[in-house]
Amino acid sequence: MSILWAGLVLAMILSTGRTARAETVRIGVLPVLDALPLQVATQDGLFREQGLDVELVPFQSALERDMAAQAGRIDGYFGDLVAALLLLRSDVSMPALLVSYRTIPGHPMFALVSTPGRKGATLADLKGASVGISTSTIIEFLLDRLEARHHLPRDYFRRVEIKKFPLRLQMLATGQIDLALLPEPLVSLNVLKGGSLAATDEDLNLPLTVVCLHERLRPQFPAFRAAYAEALERLTRDPESYRELMVRSCAIPAPLTARFPVPPYPAPVPPTRAELDDVQGWMLDHGLLRVRIPFERAVAPAP
């Protein structure tokens, strides 16, 4: 009888261990192109193949996602580096596991776009033009870097605070602002409607967005990276097979669903120390950080 009881106890212990390992990892995502590899890994069961139970939790805004992270309702998230560092500043222990998108020559993800009334205007023609942005965000960081890249002074444009992308696009289309800094696919939509590109981020070589996981999940980091890497391989091998998923999960506007290209994605490695220092230096200058966050706390070790 004692042998039978010992066997039952052992079975319960093993069962408990399996349950702990199978804990659902909830990842907050936005309906944007950078998150497509996460969608592929989930749809194709690649996380399950690595022994992970991952659920993507959709949010319509970064603010909602960040509030969920602060409240402990998600275990990780996709977002930009500025947002990631702000959460770490608020003691949300989610280091950056990998860069989900970085600027790539020939494949701009953000661009300074003009209203149809300013079509064809060069940067030299646009001094004093109004530009719709959101301050204290990755958007303002990008505009500062674009100005530096083109040797323009900080006050070259007249900056107008417009937080939401759809409103920014609408105000651009109706001529209420001259320029807007927008992401794809809104950039392509604006061009389709008669606007043009004044400058793009493609030559900046910056890590724009990252995937972050809670520190307590560190033992699962290698498995997560492996599943993500397989998703990237599948996207590279046959991008068109994921067009429907991209259209559905990344908010591709109807006029672009058949023609918008599936973008290339970078290898699943974390941002470098120099890249993190660059973003933190900008945040310190803009009062978003008081002190630098240590690299070891902000970024998960590379595999």
Side-chain angles (χ1 to χ4, degrees):
M1 186 66 89
S2 60
I3 294 176
L4 177 60
W5 176 249
L8 288 172
V9 171
L10 179 60
M12 290 173 65
I13 292 173
L14 292 174
S15 174
T16 302
R18 283 193 296 270
T19 301
R21 285 195 298 272
E23 173 192 1
T24 299
V25 178
R26 293 165 55 83
I27 309 292
V29 296
L30 301 173
V32 295
L33 286 164
D34 307 31
L36 183 57
L38 288 171
Q39 300 287 352
V40 171
T42 303
Q43 173 188 272
D44 289 5
L46 303 180
F47 289 124
R48 285 198 305 273
E49 290 177 8
Q50 293 292 331
L52 303 175
D53 180 11
V54 173
E55 176 189 353
L56 299 185
V57 182
F59 292 94
Q60 291 305 308
S61 74
L63 177 61
E64 293 172 340
R65 177 209 59 202
D66 293 351
M67 290 175 63
Q70 290 171 341
R73 298 199 304 271
I74 54 177
D75 309 296
Y77 69 96
F78 152 88
D80 65 76
L81 256 181
V82 172
L85 289 163
L86 288 175
L87 282 175
L88 286 165
R89 185 197 66 181
S90 301
D91 294 325
V92 179
S93 299
M94 293 187 187
L97 183 65
L98 55 90
V99 173
S100 48
Y101 199 83
R102 66 168 56 247
T103 56
I104 301 172
H107 296 276
M109 185 60 74
F110 283 83
L112 197 59
V113 295
S114 71
T115 179
R118 290 271 197 155
K119 185 173 183 179
T122 66
L123 288 175
D125 303 321
L126 293 168
K127 183 176 182 179
S130 57
V131 55
I133 65 165
S134 52
T135 56
S136 303
T137 67
I138 194 70
I139 297 299
E140 187 177 21
F141 171 77
L142 276 172
L143 182 57
D144 285 351
R145 291 298 179 264
L146 280 171
E147 288 178 335
R149 173 75 175 79
H150 293 280
H151 309 291
L152 303 175
R154 173 67 169 73
D155 60 351
Y156 193 79
F157 302 110
R158 180 165 53 86
R159 302 183 180 201
V160 180
E161 177 75 11
I162 308 170
K163 285 291 185 189
K164 296 185 177 180
F165 287 130
L167 179 58
R168 211 177 298 168
L169 182 65
Q170 180 184 349
M171 291 180 69
L172 186 69
T174 55
Q176 297 177 68
I177 52 176
D178 301 311
L179 301 163
L181 190 52
L182 295 171
E184 288 287 14
L186 296 182
V187 169
S188 293
L189 183 63
N190 179 69
V191 171
L192 185 66
K193 292 184 175 182
S196 60
L197 306 181
T200 75
D201 66 357
E202 60 184 299
D203 294 324
L204 296 180
N205 191 28
L206 297 172
L208 296 182
T209 50
V210 290
V211 175
C212 303
L213 288 181
H214 199 280
E215 178 67 30
R216 66 180 173 78
L217 299 171
R218 186 172 289 269
Q220 301 181 36
F221 286 3
F224 192 98
R225 276 199 186 104
Y228 192 94
E230 175 61 24
L232 292 178
E233 186 175 328
R234 294 187 182 196
L235 272 167
T236 301
R237 188 166 59 240
D238 188 10
E240 282 304 309
S241 67
Y242 294 101
R243 174 168 297 280
E244 182 182 345
L245 177 63
M246 179 182 73
V247 168
R248 186 173 70 249
S249 64
C250 303
I252 306 299
L256 300 174
T257 55
R259 70 177 78 178
F260 190 85
V262 178
Y265 294 92
V269 296
T272 66
R273 189 179 297 270
E275 290 168 341
L276 193 75
D277 283 347
D278 179 43
V279 176
Q280 292 207 71
W282 180 86
M283 294 177 71
L284 286 164
D285 290 343
H286 286 72
L288 299 176
L289 291 177
R290 285 187 297 225
V291 295
R292 289 183 183 271
I293 297 170
F295 181 79
E296 293 72 20
R297 180 172 168 238
V299 174

